[in-house]
């Protein structure tokens, strides 16, 4: 999950542990996450065994990181940047392995992190442009199913398709799914069910040719 919500949550927890070491490591994430999990110090997070819980517990911290990055917290911005570049390196591995660096494809970005963070998408798109200059990028900001339908309809470029696009956008906005990353979840208490929640789909990229139907 390099570059995804779990990766961001993991880096945030590491940053919180370091936050008391020196003033240069201070971050707004410290108090927000400690309060959310009901502990008073970074070291107390270890007792919660967060990495032994369902991955969604750590992944859900990404929402707080993205919010604080947008508010200007430098540690949070650094985490978002590192995550975007991590996914960019995965993209480099993909196109290099497939030997398509010189080709012309569209990289379609979807998932909670891409949809939630302008910074993340801007840095990821820049990585794509540097690695494969012939590629273009498309960010899906509506729920995935709606966004793919809109993308296909826009390719038709006709009056009827635009009406359908408008209807889909309105439906996507009405669904409230634009808030696409959950707030930090609490790990289940001892004895409670630990059945996994649906995982957050994030940081995904898909490649398609410009002429693909």
């Amino acid at each position: 999950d390099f570059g995804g919500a779990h990766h961001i949550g993991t880096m945030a927890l590491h940053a919180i542990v370091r936050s008391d070491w020196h003033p240069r490591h201070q971050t707004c994430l410290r108090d927000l996450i400690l309060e959310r999990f009901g502990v008073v110090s970074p070291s107390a997070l270890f007792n919660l065994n967060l990495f032994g819980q369902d991955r969604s517990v750590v992944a859900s911290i990404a929402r707080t990181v993205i919010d604080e990055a947008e508010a200007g917290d430098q540690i949070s911005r650094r985490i978002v940047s590192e995550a975007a570049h991590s996914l960019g390196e995965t993209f480099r591995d993909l196109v290099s392995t497939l030997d398509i660096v010189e080709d012309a494809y569209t990289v379609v970005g979807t998932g909670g992190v891409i949809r939630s963070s302008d910074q993340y998408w801007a840095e990821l798109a820049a990585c794509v442009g540097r690695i494969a200059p012939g590629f273009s990028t498309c960010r899906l900001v509506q729920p995935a199913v709606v966004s793919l339908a809109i993308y296909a309809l826009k390719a038709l470029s006709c009056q009827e398709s635009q009406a359908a696009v408008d209807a889909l956008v309105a439906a996507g906005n009405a669904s409230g799914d634009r808030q696409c990353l959950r707030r930090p979840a609490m790990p289940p208490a001892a004895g409670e069910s630990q059945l996994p929640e649906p995982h957050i789909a994030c940081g995904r990229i898909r490649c398609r040719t410009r002429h693909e139907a």
Side-chain angles (χ1 to χ4, degrees), residues 121-190:
W121 175 246
E123 296 200 30
L124 176 59
C127 286
V128 170
R130 288 192 299 269
I131 294 166
F135 280 51
S136 60
T137 57
C138 174
R139 180 189 189 189
L140 303 187
V141 296
Q142 295 288 340
V145 173
V146 175
S147 291
L148 290 171
I150 291 172
Y151 187 81
L153 286 167
K154 283 186 174 181
L156 297 176
S157 301
C158 62
Q159 185 174 356
E160 291 79 6
S161 66
Q162 186 55 52
V165 166
D166 293 341
L168 284 170
V169 169
N173 290 338
S175 73
D177 196 39
R178 295 291 292 274
Q179 190 73 0
C180 45
L181 285 176
R182 292 174 293 183
R183 296 287 174 178
M186 286 294 292

Side-chain angles (χ1 to χ4, degrees), residues 1 9 26-27 39 41 43 58-59 63 67 101 109 121 133 147 152 160-161 184 196 203 209:
D1 191 28
Q26 290 179 355
T27 170
V39 295
S41 67
S43 61
V58 173
R63 175 71 265 178
D67 286 347
V101 174
W121 175 246
S147 291
E160 291 79 6
S161 66
T209 62

Side-chain angles (χ1 to χ4, degrees), residues 81-148:
S81 178
E82 184 173 338
H85 284 267
S86 292
L87 186 56
E89 288 304 307
T90 300
F91 170 77
R92 184 193 301 276
D93 294 339
L94 173 66
V95 295
S96 298
T97 299
L98 296 177
D99 193 24
I100 57 174
V101 174
E102 303 299 326
D103 293 347
Y105 291 85
T106 297
V107 176
V108 181
T110 184
V113 174
I114 285 175
R115 290 166 53 206
S116 297
S117 175
D118 293 338
Q119 177 198 349
Y120 185 99
W121 175 246
E123 296 200 30
L124 176 59
C127 286
V128 170
R130 288 192 299 269
I131 294 166
F135 280 51
S136 60
T137 57
C138 174
R139 180 189 189 189
L140 303 187
V141 296
Q142 295 288 340
V145 173
V146 175
S147 291
L148 290 171

